[in-house]
Amino acid sequence: VALKRMLNFNVPPVKNSAGEPVWKVLIYDRFGQDIISPLLSVKELRDMGITLHLLLHSDRDAIPDVPAVYFVMPTEENIDRMCQDLRNQLYESYYLNFISAISRSKLEDIANAAIGANAVTQVAKVFDQYLNFITLEDDMFVLCNQNKELVSYRAINRPDITDTEMETIMDTIVDSLFCFFVTLGAIPIIRCSRGTAAEMVAVKLDKKLRENLRDARNSLFTGDTLGAGQFSFQRPLLVLVDRNIDLATPLHHTWTYQALVHDVLDFHLNRVNLEESTGTETSPAGARPKKKNKKSYDLTASDKFWQRHKGSPFPEVAESVQQELESYRAQEDEVKRLKSIMGIEGEDEGAISMLSDNTAKLTSAVSSLPELLEKKRLIDLHTNVATAVLEHIKSRKLDVYFEYEEKIMSKSTLDKSLLDMISDPDAGTPEDKMRLFLIYYISSTQAPSEIDLEQYKKALMDAGCNLAPLSYIKQWK
């Protein structure tokens, strides 16, 4: 809702208003791109009057009679580039939207550039959008995709981290959370575990919210913002948890559809990229190897199959794809059968009465064609994605890993020794083995004895594992 409002020059879009939308250009940086792409398709952008969407730092031609909507982070180089656009008089008017709040000094830089370029009247609006978070699903957000190593678990837990670096990381996290609550129009009740990074975030966020509320006139949580009137006693609970409380889970091999796609395929911002295998035909000697086709699929909220099955165990998903395919084929056969009947010759009574019956059927069949094609597209998509996942499961024995780790984490008896799993050359990649061993190490009530540990280390080394994670977890434990 907030994005659509922004693309409509910061006024809420009016439903079924007569006439075309205003044609405009959208200029974003990588951060803006990541925020928009999971939410709005190119078609939806076009419906809102966006004819072109371009990256801020690409070479852009002047389009002097079109308004431009900017959606960027307030960084030095972005501001410089915007000032340059003003000087080059690229567009008719400029709507500047910043993903998170812009500082006073940077605003002054833009103002100076506008005066210098004689373009003050063309800068129509400047807005802080407070949209510095990425919405992947109705109820799932991530804080960033660009430079995400900067706010990762590793970044916070590096032994050589300086205080200033830590402050920067905390500020980045707090900024995104603050943006999220502004967009939600709600003030949370914050709970966190003491003495951890989570507490630092909580304290900073609390301070930022209070400072904003103190200034009643300019508060982001009252007035005509999106969540006007939401300012009630029903406040959401924000629980901040430190990853250290449960380190085994992110290492765990998974067994549900969405988690597997995320674990074994290249899956970012709801888009999965696959390399198509080119089949087994051998190319003639000396020929160049065939280039693998890369395909990407969007797994979004509008994909009904994905919504229904993303949390299902993988075997169920494979079964469901099969069922969908069968029901699709039945529908397709029905259309074909009707077509063949329509080619009836002869004037006999039976044929004529059948014809009128079938006309009705055919009309309904034709009207369901777009739906049928969409169904076919989804079946193909999930067949390809599920097949790719299955190849990984087979080649790496992920089902065995999953069951074994479940047993370790639930402290039940193991039917096969851990050493056998690690030294089995067919079971998984070195990383899989390392993950398995770390889960065992984290979950065990007492650490294995030095002699055992040496034995495990040797097996891991032989399997080609990098032992650096083990020394970290050992110290952590």
Side-chain angles (χ1 to χ4, degrees):
V1 173
L3 277 176
K4 286 187 169 168
R5 181 184 162 125
M6 176 192 84
L7 294 174
N8 202 33
F9 304 126
N10 289 303
V11 285
V14 187
K15 285 278 182 326
N16 21 338
S17 54
E20 290 281 296
V22 183
W23 299 115
K24 47 195 170 282
V25 188
L26 171 64
I27 314 285
Y28 47 55
D29 59 0
R30 293 256 175 246
F31 290 94
Q33 188 179 21
D34 287 345
I35 293 168
I36 293 173
S37 70
L39 292 172
L40 298 171
S41 64
V42 176
K43 180 187 172 302
E44 285 173 289
L45 287 176
R46 197 169 302 125
D47 292 344
M48 299 197 62
I50 303 288
T51 46
L52 267 181
H53 40 96
L54 306 161
L55 278 166
L56 178 67
H57 291 283
S58 60
D59 294 326
R60 302 185 314 261
D61 300 325
I63 314 175
D65 49 355
V66 171
V69 175
Y70 284 76
F71 184 51
V72 296
M73 278 294 219
T75 58
E76 284 292 331
E77 57 272 45
N78 284 355
I79 304 274
D80 289 348
R81 187 59 193 258
M82 288 159 88
C83 296
Q84 194 182 321
D85 288 356
L86 289 172
R87 284 193 287 272
N88 297 345
Q89 303 195 337
L90 288 188
Y91 307 108
E92 177 195 52
S93 55
Y94 302 84
Y95 292 81
L96 309 180
N97 297 283
F98 295 102
I99 297 174
S100 51
I102 182 172
S103 66
R104 173 83 203 210
S105 61
K106 286 179 179 157
L107 261 179
E108 286 168 3
D109 294 346
I110 297 179
N112 286 332
I115 293 169
N118 224 345
V120 178
T121 49
Q122 292 168 295
V123 179
K125 286 181 182 172
V126 180
F127 267 83
D128 288 334
Q129 286 295 346
Y130 292 102
L131 287 174
N132 192 9
F133 58 94
I134 297 173
T135 309
L136 295 178
E137 289 169 27
D138 286 349
D139 44 16
M140 185 164 88
F141 305 89
V142 291
L143 296 191
C144 67
N145 182 50
Q146 298 294 324
N147 327 343
K148 61 171 171 251
E149 322 48 83
L150 294 183
V151 293
S152 62
Y153 173 84
R154 178 176 175 275
I156 298 174
N157 291 282
R158 279 200 344 257
D160 56 347
I161 187 165
T162 62
D163 285 355
T164 45
E165 284 175 312
M166 191 65 162
E167 287 288 322
T168 314
I169 295 174
M170 294 298 133
D171 288 339
T172 313
I173 295 174
V174 168
D175 181 61
S176 287
L177 288 173
F178 182 72
C179 287
F180 172 67
F181 284 107
V182 172
T183 306
L184 208 60
I187 306 271
I189 294 165
I190 307 175
R191 290 280 176 270
C192 64
S193 42
R194 286 184 184 279
T196 58
E199 188 180 20
M200 287 176 71
V201 173
V203 171
K204 274 181 178 286
L205 181 60
D206 176 67
K207 189 170 161 225
K208 194 161 180 168
L209 287 164
R210 283 176 197 280
E211 275 170 10
N212 186 269
L213 288 172
R214 197 170 297 138
D215 179 2
R217 273 188 326 220
N218 294 327
S219 172
L220 292 161
F221 294 94
T222 51
D224 62 346
T225 50
L226 295 173
Q230 305 263 324
F231 193 58
S232 68
F233 290 107
Q234 290 206 315
R235 290 165 57 191
L237 176 66
L238 171 66
V239 182
L240 292 165
V241 187
D242 200 294
R243 181 76 266 173
N244 276 329
I245 289 175
D246 169 27
L247 253 187
T249 304
L251 298 167
H252 185 22
H253 286 86
T254 50
W255 198 233
T256 55
Y257 190 27
Q258 186 177 24
L260 270 167
V261 170
H262 190 270
D263 191 2
V264 303
L265 303 178
D266 173 17
F267 183 53
H268 290 292
L269 300 184
N270 294 346
R271 168 169 294 177
V272 60
N273 296 312
L274 294 179
E275 276 193 356
E276 287 195 312
S277 49
T278 45
T280 48
E281 74 269 18
T282 50
S283 46
R288 264 189 297 183
K290 281 198 176 156
K291 213 168 117 221
K292 284 195 168 175
N293 287 340
K294 271 205 148 69
K295 278 219 141 157
S296 63
Y297 302 107
D298 288 323
L299 299 170
T300 55
S302 58
D303 179 338
K304 297 209 175 53
F305 186 88
W306 177 246
Q307 287 305 83
R308 215 173 31 248
H309 294 293
K310 62 187 179 191
S312 313
F314 189 71
E316 279 179 33
V317 176
E319 227 166 86
S320 307
V321 173
Q322 195 55 41
Q323 285 163 5
E324 292 276 321
L325 192 59
E326 278 157 18
S327 83
Y328 167 76
R329 287 203 175 123
Q331 273 176 291
E332 198 180 39
D333 291 344
E334 175 69 359
V335 175
K336 281 185 185 149
R337 196 179 63 78
L338 289 170
K339 278 188 185 155
S340 65
I341 294 175
M342 293 308 271
I344 303 164
E345 282 94 46
E347 291 294 310
D348 61 336
E349 287 302 297
I352 299 294
S353 68
M354 269 174 79
L355 199 63
S356 59
D357 262 9
N358 283 315
T359 313
K361 277 193 190 162
L362 192 69
T363 329
S364 83
V366 168
S367 64
S368 67
L369 265 181
E371 199 181 304
L372 212 59
L373 288 171
E374 175 61 9
K375 204 167 177 183
K376 173 91 169 79
R377 185 185 73 80
L378 289 183
I379 292 169
D380 289 349
L381 185 161
H382 287 287
T383 308
N384 291 345
V385 174
T387 311
V389 172
L390 188 63
E391 279 169 12
H392 279 277
I393 293 177
K394 279 186 184 154
S395 68
R396 289 160 58 182
K397 295 195 180 172
L398 296 183
D399 46 342
V400 183
Y401 275 102
F402 165 70
E403 282 174 23
Y404 202 83
E405 289 165 7
E406 285 281 277
K407 284 181 184 160
I408 293 178
M409 289 162 87
S410 60
K411 309 263 194 289
S412 44
T413 48
L414 304 172
D415 47 357
K416 181 178 176 186
S417 89
L418 185 65
L419 213 52
D420 291 350
M421 278 285 288
I422 294 172
S423 40
D424 175 359
D426 297 334
T429 60
E431 191 183 70
D432 291 327
K433 296 181 176 177
M434 198 66 206
R435 278 164 67 176
L436 171 69
F437 185 69
L438 289 179
I439 289 174
Y440 163 72
Y441 195 88
I442 291 167
S443 309
S444 58
T445 27
Q446 68 222 65
S449 66
E450 279 303 312
I451 304 165
D452 288 354
L453 195 60
E454 280 312 309
Q455 208 178 353
Y456 283 129
K457 272 188 179 169
K458 185 178 180 314
L460 287 165
M461 294 272 286
D462 293 345
C465 298
N466 170 10
L467 292 185
L470 179 59
S471 48
Y472 174 81
I473 293 291
K474 207 168 155 184
Q475 199 179 347
W476 171 86
K477 184 145 178 156

